[in-house]
Amino acid sequence: MTSETTPTTSSAPRPGGVGRLAGRTVSRIGYGAMQLERLHDDRPAAIALLRHAFDLGVDHVDTAHFYGDGFVNGLIREALRPGDDVLVVTKVGAASDHAGPFPMRVAQRPEELRAGIEAELTTLGMEQVPVVNLRRMDAGMTIPFPDEQKVDLDDQLAELIALRDAGKIGAIGLSSVSPDVTRRALPAGIVCVQNPYSLVAREDEDLLELCTEEQIAWVPYFPLGGAIPGMAKVTDEPAVIAAAERLGCTPAQVGLAWLLHHSPRTLLIPGTATAAHLEANLAAGAITLDAQTLAALDAIR
């Protein structure tokens, strides 16, 4: 992965430069679509935001059917125009649960993974989902789940490989996994790993190194921390605030820029429901962190 600014099909520079995902060249800063649920009552605004992202060079969108029970996928389906060369990445392993204590429930069994793929295909309006991440419960943010949902990785991968062989999915990724699970999954041809990771939450440094060795895209979620109560926030760190003041940008942009500088395998999918925040996220890809600033940020633990 490089810091090149090769234009996308929209003729816009690639935010953050170029990276590789599932055999394709993509912008290193993409878009995480989960927050589009906030625009449930303003569908035109949600469609406009997605198209604005595409026009600004975003060509990697992360979604899931359980984001709004198909609502977000439907927005992506409507927003995509002829000529938009956007890689859509989705995930299975959970399902919407409106009546439960959490907005989603765990759905790890092979038959549930297959049903999840069928739902993705329907709501996205696709014959094949380009990349599907298996959302496990090994690491990161998890919710309580019964023993029947403790499914062996090999059984899950066998189902996803069968779906790939059938042409329903293009490639397989992983989410919320440990290094051991990732190593076990490597023979399946894993193209990306999504785990919580940020400047202030680097417990998965070993997993990042494994992805680097295996040339697997590293796609951190919660890239600025602070997503749940008690989680440290990148933007609260004095060294981050000082760097932002010195560089003339926001602390959030510093946190995103650090992730891009820290590893060339990193692809970002920050989410937002506003155009201004979208533009600020993409602008983080143009921020250069000098050696002194990087040293100060690297020292945060």
Side-chain angles (χ1 to χ4, degrees), residues 199-200 232-243 251 297 299-301:
L199 178 57
V200 295
K233 295 181 180 180
V234 171
T235 53
D236 287 343
E237 289 292 331
V240 173
I241 295 170
L297 297 175
I300 296 173
R301 291 294 178 182

Side-chain angles (χ1 to χ4, degrees), residues 5 12 17 26 38 73 78 91 93 126 128 185 192 203-204 264 274 280:
T5 55
V26 296
R38 292 163 50 193
N73 278 2
E78 184 175 344
K91 61 187 70 66
M126 295 179 172
Q128 181 188 82
C192 59
E203 294 84 0
D204 274 336
T274 70

Side-chain angles (χ1 to χ4, degrees), residues 49-264:
L49 181 64
L50 279 167
R51 290 180 174 169
H52 188 44
F54 302 156
D55 291 341
L56 292 176
V58 169
D59 55 6
H60 165 209
V61 173
D62 181 83
T63 185
H65 177 77
F66 57 85
Y67 293 169
D69 199 17
F71 172 73
V72 170
N73 278 2
L75 293 174
I76 294 170
R77 176 179 182 172
E78 184 175 344
L80 286 170
R81 302 157 295 192
D84 284 332
D85 187 20
V86 176
L87 182 68
V88 177
V89 179
T90 187
K91 61 187 70 66
V92 292
S96 300
D97 187 7
H98 303 295
F102 302 96
M104 70 176 189
R105 62 176 176 81
V106 177
Q108 297 278 299
R109 297 195 302 269
E111 64 271 21
E112 292 174 308
L113 301 183
R114 179 173 288 270
I117 295 297
E118 295 295 345
E120 301 289 347
L121 292 168
T122 298
T123 51
L124 287 168
M126 295 179 172
E127 295 183 359
Q128 181 188 82
V129 181
V131 181
V132 174
N133 288 320
L134 170 60
R135 207 297 189 187
R136 294 266 302 178
M137 298 291 158
D138 305 307
M141 187 181 72
T142 61
I143 60 176
F145 58 94
D147 287 343
E148 66 178 22
Q149 288 292 340
K150 295 177 182 178
V151 182
D152 186 77
L153 173 69
D154 291 343
D155 293 338
Q156 294 175 315
L157 290 176
E159 188 69 25
L160 293 179
I161 290 169
L163 288 162
R164 186 178 61 190
D165 291 345
K168 300 223 178 232
I169 65 178
I172 300 169
L174 299 172
S175 177
S176 298
V177 290
S178 65
D180 178 62
V181 166
T182 303
R183 288 188 187 92
R184 287 177 55 199
L186 289 177
I190 301 304
V191 300
C192 59
V193 172
Q194 289 187 0
N195 266 33
Y197 181 86
S198 72
L199 178 57
V200 295
R202 286 186 261 174
E203 294 84 0
D204 274 336
E205 201 70 33
D206 289 347
L207 183 52
L208 171 54
E209 291 178 6
L210 175 61
C211 288
T212 300
E213 293 169 3
E214 298 293 336
Q215 299 184 33
I216 295 170
W218 175 252
V219 190
Y221 67 85
F222 299 163
L224 297 175
I228 57 177
M231 179 182 286
K233 295 181 180 180
V234 171
T235 53
D236 287 343
E237 289 292 331
V240 173
I241 295 170
E245 292 174 350
R246 188 166 58 253
L247 295 169
C249 61
T250 68
Q253 287 176 317
V254 171
L256 296 177
W258 179 86
L259 286 166
L260 292 173
H261 281 73
H262 186 61
S263 170

